[in-house]
Amino acid sequence: MGFDDKGLNGRLALAIAAAALGSAFQHGYNIGVVNAPGELIRTWINETHYNRTSEGLGKDTVLLIWSWAVSIFCIGGMIGGALTGVISERLGRKGGLLFNNVFAIIAAALEGFSASAGSYEMLIAGRFFIGINCGLNGGLAPMYLSEISPVHLRGAVGTVYQLVVTISILISQILGMTSLMGTAELWPILLGLTIAPTVFQLVVLPFCPESPKYILLNQGKEIEAQKALTWLRGSLEVHDEMDEMRAEYEAMKLVPKTTLKEMLTNQSLRSPLIIAVMMMLAQQLSGINAVIYFSTDIFNEAGLDSVTSQYATLGMGGMNVLMTVISLLIIERAGRKTLMLVGLGGMLIDVILLTVCLALKATATWIAYISIILVIMFVVMFATGPGSIPWFLVTELFAQGARAMATSVAVTVNWTANFVVGLGFLPIQEALGPYVFIIFVVFLAFFTIFTYKKVPETKNKTIEEINAMFRQQTYQ
Ligand SMILES: *[C@@H]1O[C@H](CO)[C@@H](O)[C@H](O)[C@H]1NC(C)=O
């Protein structure tokens, strides 16, 4: 471990790029891409309906159809997330990633041709399929990345996925601008562009090997595993690493897998599970995706014209990338609980001020600009802690045998909450106007207090120490 000759080489970099760019890019791109052209697509939905039936739709109905198109992505995500286990076992990590592109191709075709076919149902179906693709990517790609990386690079490579997600959110927002592809003619191509990372992955990933761990631990093929590892390390001296993998295999067989029933009935597993679930809810119910999906609409609501709104959205996307980089750099040094509390507390104060600004927007034009700063700060505070800490906590609160089950529960909760926010935000904004964010004030206040009272600090603690804390409940 830690030898320079086993560090990053060209082939490993190629495999990382194939897996991360081809998968995380889909994930971020499709989160961000609905933001800028929202208004255009809503007009198109209405027109499409009018052409079919000679009747216009009410504003509420258009909003509802659009909200479904945005958020059905998350239902697909749940299904994809749930399929990760089966697909990664049956087809392998690389095989699963390659197979997953089928969903992306179906989705790109449905979305790209929805306008020419005059069907918003195709758009909704496309969002569903790309959701499945992203749910699977979110499980398979980090697995592949961590399994092909040498131990001392694992942390850094593990953060690549998240970073590419934020960068591709930004790219989707740039391409969605009115001066680029955010127009009534080009938006179907903007959505269909999700085919690009698929093509890249289908061209490059076949040259890379399957995860050596999968080949050894799941298929029991020693020689093939060694070949794959040799390819990735660019060195024949892989015996140490092979030995480590065998040892891990033996250790794995000794640890029984925890079932969901055990997790719910055993006190020392239930407490951390409740915390993990609450942190996922905190992440999504903070309202972050309301902002990421709909910031352009929010800026419009605050009184900015549509061009300025789009630039403000870009500023937000850029800050998101920057803060994600910073938080990844400090996460090992700062306490998890501290970062989570700072982030949630900051978002709480921010969203209170934002509500005031949106309510007062008619009184002075400069208030709209304060709203921009507040929305950007909201994303900054999110990236400080609530963006990444919940995922760290899930892995740190559980020992090997329980981690897989805890992760599945957490992923499901996360996509479900994301779905609820995506579906509910625009209709509720329509009903409550500027006071829509009060809902997030309530949630953020609750989760800030919960984190302060119930979440243990896991920094520099072993999993045994953490388990002991839960048994004795000394963490309060
Ligand atoms: C939908 O289109 C009809 C007919 O063009 C129009 O009267 C109506 O205002 C539109 N509704 C919305 C929500 O834009």
Side-chain angles (χ1 to χ4, degrees):
M1 283 184 294
F3 299 124
D4 284 340
D5 61 342
K6 286 190 185 171
L8 193 63
N9 60 57
R11 289 163 168 189
L12 181 61
L14 186 75
I16 292 173
L21 294 183
S23 300
F25 197 95
Q26 307 277 22
H27 200 158
Y29 189 81
N30 287 291
I31 289 175
V33 76
V34 289
N35 190 322
E39 186 73 52
L40 290 169
I41 301 181
R42 289 199 292 271
T43 307
W44 168 77
I45 290 172
N46 190 22
E47 277 169 12
T48 305
H49 190 82
Y50 186 79
N51 290 343
R52 268 190 223 166
T53 62
S54 304
E55 273 172 43
L57 291 168
K59 198 169 182 194
D60 294 350
T61 317
V62 174
L63 277 188
L64 195 64
I65 295 175
W66 175 234
S67 300
W68 269 103
V70 171
S71 52
I72 202 169
F73 175 72
C74 304
I75 297 190
M78 272 181 250
I79 296 173
L83 289 175
T84 305
V86 183
I87 294 210
S88 65
E89 295 289 310
R90 294 267 169 85
L91 303 177
R93 286 45 162 156
K94 171 188 162 185
L97 283 172
L98 286 174
F99 167 75
N100 194 17
N101 287 312
V102 171
F103 296 112
I105 293 169
I106 295 174
L110 284 169
E111 292 185 22
F113 294 116
S114 56
S116 38
S119 162
Y120 47 78
E121 293 83 358
M122 277 170 68
L123 176 63
I124 296 177
R127 290 281 299 168
F128 174 69
F129 281 107
I130 202 66
I132 299 181
N133 170 273
C134 293
L136 271 165
N137 277 335
L140 291 172
M143 205 186 278
Y144 182 72
L145 289 173
S146 103
E147 290 183 358
I148 63 171
S149 307
V151 176
H152 66 285
L153 285 179
R154 205 160 288 161
V157 173
T159 61
V160 167
Y161 188 86
Q162 204 180 349
L163 191 58
V164 174
V165 168
T166 55
I167 293 173
S168 46
I169 290 179
L170 178 62
I171 292 176
S172 72
Q173 290 165 346
I174 294 174
L175 292 178
M177 293 186 66
T178 321
S179 48
L180 290 168
M181 298 173 85
T183 64
E185 293 75 39
L186 292 180
W187 69 257
I189 300 181
L190 176 73
L191 298 191
L193 262 189
T194 199
I195 197 81
T198 292
V199 172
F200 171 76
Q201 187 170 68
L202 286 174
V203 170
V204 179
L205 193 57
F207 292 103
C208 308
E210 178 57 89
S211 146
K213 260 195 194 164
Y214 173 77
I215 303 178
L216 184 69
L217 306 199
N218 297 65
Q219 302 183 308
K221 296 181 186 161
E222 288 246 354
I223 299 174
E224 272 83 359
Q226 190 156 349
K227 258 193 216 153
L229 198 57
T230 305
W231 190 95
L232 287 163
R233 298 291 172 266
S235 151
L236 285 169
E237 286 162 34
V238 293
H239 303 293
D240 290 354
E241 233 180 313
M242 288 293 291
D243 285 342
E244 276 163 34
M245 282 203 285
R246 278 188 215 103
E248 189 184 329
Y249 184 41
E250 295 306 319
M252 198 181 74
K253 283 196 292 195
L254 295 178
V255 187
K257 284 224 172 78
T258 310
T259 63
L260 187 58
K261 190 160 167 248
E262 275 175 79
M263 293 212 106
L264 296 176
T265 48
N266 183 335
Q267 162 72 22
S268 67
L269 287 170
R270 196 173 56 210
S271 302
L273 187 68
I274 290 173
I275 290 174
V277 164
M278 289 300 251
M279 292 301 97
M280 288 300 163
L281 289 176
Q283 179 186 80
Q284 291 301 324
L285 301 181
S286 68
I288 186 62
N289 277 326
V291 170
I292 301 273
Y293 293 140
F294 303 121
S295 67
T296 308
D297 295 327
I298 295 169
F299 291 132
N300 277 328
E301 175 76 10
L304 295 179
D305 63 58
S306 43
V307 176
T308 321
S309 293
Q310 290 189 0
Y311 278 110
T313 292
L314 289 195
M316 185 186 86
M319 283 307 278
N320 190 17
V321 174
L322 186 68
M323 277 313 295
T324 303
V325 174
I326 295 178
S327 92
L328 294 176
L329 293 177
I330 59 177
I331 200 157
E332 285 303 329
R333 260 162 286 158
R336 323 290 193 242
K337 180 175 183 171
T338 315
L339 286 178
M340 191 75 191
L341 266 181
V342 170
L344 285 177
M347 289 173 96
L348 173 61
I349 296 168
D350 189 288
V351 83
I352 292 173
L353 296 175
L354 184 62
T355 307
V356 174
C357 280
L358 291 177
L360 296 180
K361 67 170 187 220
T363 58
T365 44
W366 55 265
I367 290 182
Y369 293 92
I370 305 277
S371 318
I372 301 185
I373 297 174
L374 287 172
V375 170
I376 292 177
M377 283 311 293
F378 188 73
V379 174
V380 167
M381 289 330 272
F382 177 79
T384 305
S388 45
I389 302 287
W391 298 111
F392 270 80
L393 274 179
V394 177
T395 59
E396 289 183 341
L397 289 176
F398 296 92
Q400 190 67 24
R403 201 172 289 143
M405 180 51 74
T407 307
S408 331
V409 173
V411 168
T412 311
V413 169
N414 192 282
W415 280 105
T416 310
N418 189 344
F419 169 70
V420 171
V421 172
L423 190 61
F425 183 74
L426 284 185
I428 294 176
Q429 186 186 35
E430 198 55 31
L432 297 185
Y435 301 107
V436 62
F437 284 102
I438 287 181
I439 297 175
F440 299 124
V441 171
V442 174
F443 281 129
L444 282 165
F446 171 75
F447 288 116
T448 309
I449 296 169
F450 181 90
T451 305
Y452 179 68
K453 294 228 174 231
K454 297 280 181 189
V455 176
E457 183 54 83
T458 54
K459 187 183 81 162
N460 296 336
K461 292 208 174 72
T462 66
I463 189 69
E464 284 74 25
E465 291 169 325
I466 293 170
N467 280 346
M469 278 194 300
F470 280 113
R471 276 195 297 274
Q472 300 155 3
Q473 299 283 318
T474 53
Y475 62 91
Q476 293 181 342

